[in-house]
Amino acid sequence: MRKQISNVKKQIGRFWYRYPWFGRIFILGILILVYGWAFQGLKLDLEALNGSIPFMQDFLSRLFPPDWSVLDLAVKSLIETVQISLWGTTIGAVLSLPIAIVSAKNLAPRWLRWMANLLQNAVRSVPSIVLGLFFVSATGLGAPAGTLALSIYTIGYLAKFYQESIESVDRDSLESLKVIGASSLQIAQYGVIPQVLPLMLGYTLWMFEYNIRAASVLGVVGAGGIGFELVNYIRSFEYTKATTMILVLLVVVTAIDFLSSQLRDRLEAKY
């Protein structure tokens, strides 16, 4: 029986070696089927989409010109958004590190990894809007709710990014520390963190950029920041004032993206 299985494996291996193009065609066929199935789920009505163009043009025309009379309020709200993002990202990053350590395959036992990964998946499964609503009900409208919501939301992603970074470290250095009798905490402190620190800082900066946008979305449920003012203007059909908020947010997000990219480049060059 084993010989038959072995012969079959050899024949399959020879087939793939002789006809490597067959595998590419097979994968392409699978992709076409998957995307075809997904397209059916969209249920696009192309005629309705074509007829909606005038309505889209009408909506865009109401956004301009921007009403600069609310610029002071936009800047003030944006500062609050940045403050929310900064604290939310920092708290989330600090809490993500121990979760990532106990989630990593090369550091933690299987039962502990299973629990930590389950926690990560549970956090990622909850939309930021739901977290915002939960903390608004606990602390009321304003920045504290947004900060707490972003903190939890950040854990779901940074813990996973940190975990992937930890699992990619050089195993030989970890084995050397184990041989000399280092504890798990010492292995993490002296063998893992120095190797993954640049990656972690890069991921944290990226998450801060993302949280600027996420914080503006949380304003929809009253969690403070520029999003709160933006949704109020949209609900009251003051679209030109909403445009001012969007433009100010665009400028700041672009600036933060540029600065964080420069910082990431310097970290990569340094380490």
Side-chain angles (χ1 to χ4, degrees):
M1 186 66 181
R2 291 182 178 177
K3 290 183 178 180
Q4 292 177 349
I5 294 174
S6 178
N7 290 333
V8 170
K9 288 181 178 179
K10 288 180 180 179
Q11 291 175 1
I12 293 174
R14 289 172 185 169
F15 177 82
W16 287 114
Y17 180 78
R18 283 185 184 179
Y19 309 104
W21 52 267
F22 184 81
R24 300 188 188 98
I25 293 176
F26 178 76
I27 293 173
L28 179 61
I30 294 295
L31 288 174
I32 291 173
L33 289 174
V34 170
Y35 277 97
W37 166 77
F39 185 77
Q40 288 180 348
L42 297 179
K43 298 178 182 178
L44 290 179
D45 188 344
L46 297 180
E47 292 183 4
L49 186 62
N50 184 48
S52 65
I53 292 177
F55 299 103
M56 296 167 65
Q57 292 174 338
D58 177 64
F59 178 79
L60 290 175
S61 66
R62 297 184 185 186
L63 294 174
F64 296 96
D67 185 348
W68 299 109
S69 65
V70 296
L71 183 59
D72 291 343
L73 178 60
V75 172
K76 181 180 177 181
S77 301
L78 188 61
I79 290 172
E80 185 179 50
T81 297
V82 173
Q83 292 169 335
I84 292 171
S85 304
L86 180 61
W87 273 106
T89 304
T90 303
I91 295 171
V94 171
L95 295 177
S96 294
L97 184 56
I99 296 175
I101 290 173
V102 298
S103 301
K105 295 178 182 178
N106 50 353
L107 291 181
R110 180 175 296 180
W111 65 269
L112 190 56
R113 295 200 312 265
W114 185 86
M115 293 177 61
N117 282 299
L118 180 63
L119 175 62
Q120 290 185 39
N121 294 333
V123 172
R124 281 197 299 272
S125 299
V126 182
S128 58
I129 291 291
V130 175
L131 290 171
L133 286 169
F134 173 75
F135 286 111
V136 163
S137 67
T139 65
L141 300 175
T147 302
L148 292 172
L150 278 187
S151 300
I152 303 301
Y153 187 73
T154 297
I155 291 172
Y157 289 91
L158 277 188
K160 185 64 177 178
F161 293 152
Y162 290 174
Q163 176 191 344
E164 295 292 337
S165 301
I166 291 170
E167 291 178 348
S168 66
V169 301
D170 181 20
R171 294 186 178 181
D172 292 338
S173 61
L174 302 186
E175 290 296 330
S176 300
L177 289 171
K178 288 180 181 178
V179 168
I180 63 175
S183 65
S184 298
L185 183 61
Q186 290 172 327
I187 291 172
Q189 183 178 356
Y190 298 108
V192 176
I193 292 179
Q195 294 188 53
V196 301
L197 186 60
L199 276 175
M200 286 183 172
L201 290 174
Y203 286 137
T204 305
L205 287 172
W206 176 86
M207 198 69 204
F208 174 64
E209 295 172 34
Y210 181 83
N211 280 343
I212 295 288
R213 294 181 285 271
S216 64
V217 174
L218 287 174
V220 173
V221 295
I226 198 170
F228 182 70
E229 303 297 337
L230 178 61
V231 73
N232 284 337
Y233 286 135
I234 292 175
R235 286 172 178 170
S236 59
F237 302 102
E238 297 179 276
Y239 294 121
T240 55
K241 293 181 180 179
T243 302
T244 303
M245 298 287 174
I246 294 171
L247 291 176
V248 170
L249 181 62
L250 173 63
V251 170
V252 172
V253 168
T254 303
I256 290 175
D257 177 63
F258 174 77
L259 292 174
S260 63
S261 296
Q262 295 296 316
L263 285 172
R264 285 197 298 268
D265 291 340
R266 289 187 179 184
L267 285 170
E268 291 176 2
K270 183 177 180 180
Y271 292 96

